[in-house]
Amino acid sequence: MWGGRTGALLRVWGLWPAGVRGRRPLGYNAASLAGNNSPQCWNCGGPGVPKRGDGFFCPQCRALQPPDLTRDYFSLMDCNRAFGVDTAKLQNRYQQLQRLVHPDFFSQRSQTEKDFSEKHATLVNDAYKTLLAPLSRGLYLLKLHGVEIPEGTDYAMDQQFLMEIMEINEKLAEAQSEAAMKEIESIVRAKQKELSDNVSKAFEQGEE
């Protein structure tokens, strides 16, 4: 249901100059703690904090708890699970979480909390970068719906659209002035907005 037109539109978008850097997978050495579903605090054995919400610290001893690896990026960044994201709100949330879990704030804490802060910060960074860029956000949405598009996969592209890309590349190569560059930038931005709108509609309608 989700892998056809939506996936194709996202791959088409990948042909544009604004790309998305690959993200390295998270490596959690303290897997037994980070993936533990127990509500107990690792430090004091108290009730700990709910898995969902912003309780990153034990309410009893205030020790930083391990990250919840089952929580999706939209939930972590307090965003609706949709292609359309309020990027200003996303940035504010990112800054809020960094003030809570950044390793610089744990230099005088236990080694376990230092390790957890690094894992939290990495998770927050990955979530922010993924949801900030439309392409990676769309691919992540597809993944949440059980559809993964392997790297290098090419879907059938509209020939007219491919011609438009070739024409833009030619204009870039021939541009001799700042005015010409601004004109090309305007064309690309308009096309990106058109694609963004199309992808958003496709997700809302659940089109194949």
Side-chain angles (χ1 to χ4, degrees), residues 4 14 19 31-32 39 68-69 88 91 104 110 117 126 144 150 152 171 189:
S32 60
D68 179 5
L69 302 185
Q91 185 173 16
D104 287 351
S110 68
S117 71
D126 277 358
L144 291 179
K171 289 182 178 180
R189 288 186 182 278

Side-chain angles (χ1 to χ4, degrees), residues 12 19 42 63 65 71 81 83 89 120 142 187 191 206:
V12 168
W42 64 270
Q65 299 301 296
R71 191 176 186 182
R81 188 184 286 193
F83 183 73
K89 179 182 177 182
H120 274 293
L142 288 176
I187 294 173
K191 197 64 183 180

Side-chain angles (χ1 to χ4, degrees), residues 52-109:
R52 303 298 177 188
D54 286 346
F56 291 95
F57 300 89
C58 172
Q60 279 74 41
C61 68
R62 301 304 299 167
L64 180 66
Q65 299 301 296
D68 179 5
L69 302 185
T70 66
R71 191 176 186 182
D72 69 70
Y73 290 167
F74 289 95
S75 173
L76 177 62
M77 304 308 290
D78 194 24
C79 295
N80 293 329
R81 188 184 286 193
F83 183 73
V85 167
D86 185 335
T87 55
K89 179 182 177 182
L90 176 64
Q91 185 173 16
N92 289 336
R93 173 65 171 173
Y94 171 72
Q95 294 172 345
Q96 174 195 10
L97 293 179
Q98 286 288 27
R99 287 193 293 269
L100 285 175
V101 301
H102 195 280
D104 287 351
F105 300 123
F106 292 86
S107 60
Q108 303 302 316
R109 305 293 285 271

Side-chain angles (χ1 to χ4, degrees), residues 6 15 46 57 81 156 185:
T6 306
L15 295 173
F57 300 89
R81 188 184 286 193
E185 181 181 1

Side-chain angles (χ1 to χ4, degrees), residues 119-189:
K119 295 175 176 67
H120 274 293
T122 300
L123 188 62
V124 169
N125 283 334
D126 277 358
Y128 176 68
K129 292 176 182 178
T130 297
L131 300 188
L132 183 63
L135 175 59
S136 56
R137 185 194 313 144
L139 291 174
Y140 182 68
L141 262 177
L142 288 176
K143 183 177 179 180
L144 291 179
H145 285 93
V147 177
E148 292 199 51
I149 303 177
E151 291 295 328
T153 299
D154 291 324
Y155 283 79
M157 304 297 177
D158 181 89
Q159 292 300 311
Q160 181 179 353
F161 180 72
L162 291 176
M163 290 298 296
E164 290 177 7
I165 294 176
M166 294 175 63
E167 290 175 4
I168 290 174
N169 286 335
E170 290 176 1
K171 289 182 178 180
L172 282 171
E174 297 172 357
Q176 300 290 327
S177 66
E178 183 178 352
M181 292 297 294
K182 287 184 176 180
E183 179 183 356
I184 296 171
E185 181 181 1
S186 178
I187 294 173
V188 171
R189 288 186 182 278

